[in-house]
Amino acid sequence: MEICRSVAHIRTHVRGLRQAGHSVGLVPTMGALHDGHISLVRAAAERADKVVATIFVNPTQFGDSADLEKYPRTEDADIARLEAAGVSAVFMPQVSDIYAEDAETIVETTQLANMLHGIVRPGHYRGVSTVVTKLFNIVGPDVAAFGEKDYQQLQVIRKMVSDLHVPIEILPVPTMRESDGLAMSSRNVRLTPEDRKAAVILCQALDAAEKTVHNGTTVSDLAKSIRATIATEPRGTLEGLDIVAAESLAPLDGPINGPTAIMISVKFGDILLIDQRVVTPR
Ligand code: PAF
């Protein structure tokens, strides 16, 4: 596996892949890799001959510099995992390679970025769409894989690609889960053992919500039952609950009668965990 620390190096590597007739899949990450990231690599490898991963802890998507500093950095283990997964090259730039000091261009999906999680994390999705655009332009892949766990991020990227005519196919990849159902996340390692056990409540609430939707319900009754389930776990505080149209993320009201995204965020200590489920009534 080629380790590329400069834009010129990754471009030369990808040019070589293209000259050999290979298609290229991209897996953008912020490192601290777990099996969920490797499932993105596998999904990309099913659609492209060679997979390129990126590891870049993107400062513009962190509102809080303390959160940025605390973000786990496990470079050697990440490189070993990507190599074992058969990745062709990893691009690991410095902040100054991605953001020139005099940079002034941003990419923002003006609606999708500023609703739901975007309200409590102002600028977050703008930071994501800006860095993903840069990574797309640097690597130039045919396809790029993104997890469904951050469902709003996935929708933001799909919209950005569609609005800007970016010639890259976006592959949505289902969330990988621990054996008790907790969605894999780089944040999980920061949970105390007690909070780690308690965190299964997110998945339990979504499982129950899915059944409720299958049996027929309204948005307000569903919200009430999800709140009640989360409240059974005193270690967690429900920070966000959104029940929205699966594609536009527009707020819903009344009976649920089409594809609906349920997005929840729950705080354990100072660790915010998110999970989501797209459900359709039967
Ligand atoms: O999902 C992530 O890890 C990040 O938001 C991404 C897509 C790599 C952009 O920094």
Side-chain angles (χ1 to χ4, degrees), residues 134-281:
K134 287 168 182 265
L135 295 172
F136 282 180
N137 286 334
I138 292 167
V139 176
D142 300 284
V143 298
F146 293 89
E148 285 177 353
K149 183 166 72 94
D150 188 341
Y151 188 73
Q152 186 168 358
Q153 168 171 287
L154 176 63
Q155 294 307 88
V156 162
I157 289 163
R158 282 172 157 158
K159 184 81 178 126
M160 178 272 281
V161 161
S162 151
D163 286 354
L164 299 182
H165 305 275
V166 178
I168 296 172
E169 184 193 346
I170 302 302
L171 295 177
V173 181
T175 306
M176 282 277 284
R177 296 182 179 275
E178 304 289 353
S179 55
D180 63 357
L182 177 66
M184 287 185 185
S185 162
S186 309
R187 289 167 192 250
N188 293 354
V189 294
R190 291 170 53 203
L191 294 166
T192 63
E194 295 76 20
D195 287 344
R196 165 63 192 83
K197 265 194 213 148
V200 72
I201 196 69
L202 278 89
C203 176
Q204 287 172 348
L206 290 170
D207 287 345
E210 185 163 10
K211 283 194 193 112
T212 307
V213 170
H214 286 164
N215 293 333
T217 188
T218 62
V219 172
S220 61
D221 285 350
L222 181 64
K224 248 185 251 157
S225 72
I226 293 172
R227 285 180 198 286
T229 308
I230 301 286
T232 62
E233 178 43 75
R235 301 192 75 85
T237 310
L238 184 65
E239 292 278 312
L241 167 62
D242 297 293
I243 299 172
V244 294
E247 196 182 327
S248 66
L249 306 188
L252 294 173
D253 207 6
I256 294 184
N257 46 27
T260 300
I262 305 170
M263 298 152 62
I264 54 179
S265 43
V266 179
K267 221 166 186 181
F268 294 87
D270 65 346
I271 316 289
L272 186 70
L273 298 183
I274 61 170
D275 204 350
Q276 65 80 31
R277 188 84 46 100
V278 174
V279 291
T280 309

Side-chain angles (χ1 to χ4, degrees), residues 28-30 37 56 58 61 71 124 128 131-132 146 153 157:
T29 82
M30 297 207 298
H37 295 104
F56 180 61
N58 173 35
Q61 67 188 81
Y71 200 84
H124 170 75
V128 170
V131 80
V132 168
F146 293 89
Q153 168 171 287
I157 289 163

